[in-house]
């Protein structure tokens, strides 16, 4: 009561209570927000100085700066905020550093491919083949400073057709195998054997898959049977284990309560799988299929063994040789059209590499779109 009376008397006399000053964040045992940025700036300066003394390079500068920042930030955080928060800060910054280290190669590859591939991307490259392009044409192009003649249209068509047929073969086989393993074959000897062989197929080198397809069709159609469908079978051998594994894991995480609820309503097992289980896991299944396609779309060795190399457009996968973007890149680098002027061939190779990356990105976008369309609808 005396404290309240004193406060009321002070207010009546016009004397207000002095404002309470906020304590400094350092005094509270917590670093201010600007401290980490200041430590990072200091680490960059010291890292640049040390790198200059030992022979400046971007890699050495980045490594020195990262090490200095990690040590300085951990020590200062420990001194100000305590040992426990210091350890937490150290591991947090280590995780950030690992993420940046993993991101650097990807960013470097993308930058290099964009820098060297963009100049070669034009309408002529996209809509013309290498049919009729000779070393003399490349020599004349270099001598006159003209745009590079010859494109990768035939390789794009071959890549799309062979990958499409490989997907048509692999996805049904892989999904049905995964459905059997999860829904029907639990604990059975056949499912254990399938799991073992899928694990073995996962580690098969790509050239072995190509030799298998070439030998198989060679026994049926003769030793010179090289065509797009043979390459598609070789790629399907590589795709099936990935599709099986990804689909199996997605089906396993579907709650059993959904299956039991469907069975309780009298729905048969096959219809439950088709209408409940697969739609629930379709997002992960689409991602797994996309991963399998992205793995095989850049394969070179199986295509060389099974489909060969062609310079003209071939729309029929059941006849004649076909070229794909990986084999097109390989051929342009290994055997340039003009041995004396390799720049046109190198430009075509980098442009084809950029085109291949763009195709993989497009596949990922399509997979996300398919997953969003077929995913179970959310309630209110």
């Amino acid at each position: 009561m005396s404290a309240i009376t004193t406060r009321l008397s002070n207010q009546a006399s016009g004397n207000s209570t002095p404002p309470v000053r906020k304590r400094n964040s350092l005094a509270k045992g917590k670093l201010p927000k600007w401290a980490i940025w200041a430590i990072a700036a200091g680490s960059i300066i010291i890292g640049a100085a040390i790198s200059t003394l030992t022979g400046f390079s971007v890699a050495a500068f980045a490594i020195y700066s990262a090490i200095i920042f990690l040590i300085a930030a951990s020590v200062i955080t420990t001194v100000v905020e305590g040992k426990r928060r210091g350890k937490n800060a150290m591991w947090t910054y280590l995780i950030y550093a690992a993420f940046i280290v993993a991101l650097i190669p990807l960013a470097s590859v993308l930058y290099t491919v964009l820098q060297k591939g963009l100049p070669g991307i034009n309408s002529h490259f996209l809509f013309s083949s290498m049919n009729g392009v000779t070393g003399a044409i490349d020599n004349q192009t270099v001598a006159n400073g003209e745009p590079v003649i010859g494109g990768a249209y035939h390789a794009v068509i071959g890549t799309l057709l062979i990958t499409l047929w490989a997907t048509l073969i692999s996805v049904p086989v892989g999904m049905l195998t995964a459905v059997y393993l999860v829904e029907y074959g639990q604990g059975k000897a056949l499912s254990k054997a399938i799991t073992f062989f899928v694990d073995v197929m996962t580690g098969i080198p790509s050239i072995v898959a190509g030799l298998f397809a070439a030998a198989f069709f060679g026994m049926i159609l003769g030793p010179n049977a090289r065509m797009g469908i043979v390459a598609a079978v070789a790629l399907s051998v590589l795709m099936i284990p990935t599709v099986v594994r990804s689909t199996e894991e997605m089906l396993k995480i579907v709650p059993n309560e959904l299956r039991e609820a469907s069975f309780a309503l009298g729905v048969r097992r096959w219809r439950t799988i088709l209408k409940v289980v697969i739609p629930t896991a379709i997002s992960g299944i689409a991602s797994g299929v996309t991963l399998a396609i992205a793995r095989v779309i850049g394969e070179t060795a199986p295509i060389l063994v099974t489909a060969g190399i062609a310079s003209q457009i071939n729309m029929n996968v059941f006849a004649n040789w076909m070229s794909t973007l990986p084999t097109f890149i390989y051929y342009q680098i290994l055997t340039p059209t003009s041995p004396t002027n390799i720049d046109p061939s190198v430009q075509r190779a980098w442009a084809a590499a950029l085109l291949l990356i763009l195709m993989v990105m497009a596949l990922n976008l399509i997979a996300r779109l398919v997953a969003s369309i077929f995913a179970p609808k959310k309630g209110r």
Side-chain angles (χ1 to χ4, degrees), residues 262-281:
S262 179
F263 296 153
L265 294 174
V267 182
R268 295 183 179 182
R269 180 182 290 271
W270 70 268
R271 195 170 183 83
T272 299
I273 296 171
L274 188 63
K275 296 294 184 178
V276 177
V277 178
I278 292 179
T280 304

Side-chain angles (χ1 to χ4, degrees), residues 176-195 248 269 273:
L176 292 175
T177 302
V179 167
Y180 172 79
L181 292 175
V182 177
E183 304 293 337
Y184 294 97
Q186 294 180 355
K188 296 182 179 179
L190 180 59
S191 66
K192 294 180 180 179
I194 292 174
T195 301
E248 182 182 6
R269 180 182 290 271
I273 296 171

Side-chain angles (χ1 to χ4, degrees), residues 18 35 85 94 97 100 196 210 229 241 309 332 340 367 369 379:
R85 290 187 177 180
L94 276 175
I100 294 173
F196 172 76
I229 192 63
I309 299 176
Q332 290 294 317
T340 56
L369 180 62

Side-chain angles (χ1 to χ4, degrees), residues 6-186:
T6 304
R7 181 176 297 178
L8 290 175
S9 62
N10 289 336
Q11 291 178 356
S13 61
N15 297 328
S16 59
T17 304
V20 180
R21 294 183 179 179
K22 293 183 178 180
R23 299 177 63 188
N24 191 293
S25 58
L26 288 174
K28 293 190 297 184
K30 186 177 181 180
L31 284 173
K33 295 181 179 180
W34 53 263
I36 298 300
W37 295 104
I39 296 172
S43 302
I44 291 173
I45 295 173
I46 298 174
I50 297 176
S51 178
T52 303
L53 293 175
T54 58
F56 183 82
S57 67
V58 176
F61 162 67
I63 292 173
Y64 289 142
S65 300
I67 293 175
I68 294 170
F69 172 77
L70 179 63
I71 296 174
S74 302
V75 171
I76 294 175
T77 304
T78 302
V79 171
V80 176
E81 300 185 0
K83 186 177 180 180
R84 185 171 66 88
R85 290 187 177 180
K87 287 184 178 180
N88 179 71
M90 181 186 69
W91 288 107
T92 301
Y93 299 140
L94 276 175
I95 292 172
Y96 290 159
F99 170 73
I100 294 173
V101 169
L103 197 62
I104 287 174
L106 175 62
S108 176
V109 169
L110 290 177
Y111 174 77
T112 303
V113 174
L114 285 172
Q115 181 188 27
K116 297 186 177 181
L118 277 177
I121 298 292
N122 50 51
S123 59
H124 185 79
F125 176 80
L126 296 175
F127 299 105
S128 64
S129 67
M130 291 295 295
N131 192 22
V133 179
T134 61
I137 294 177
D138 277 358
N139 292 334
Q140 182 180 358
T141 298
V142 173
N144 299 334
E146 299 173 351
V148 175
I149 297 176
Y153 180 70
H154 62 297
V156 174
I157 295 298
T159 300
L160 294 176
L161 289 176
I162 291 175
T163 306
L164 174 63
W165 278 94
T167 304
L168 293 177
I169 296 171
S170 304
V171 172
V173 174
M175 287 187 63
L176 292 175
T177 302
V179 167
Y180 172 79
L181 292 175
V182 177
E183 304 293 337
Y184 294 97
Q186 294 180 355

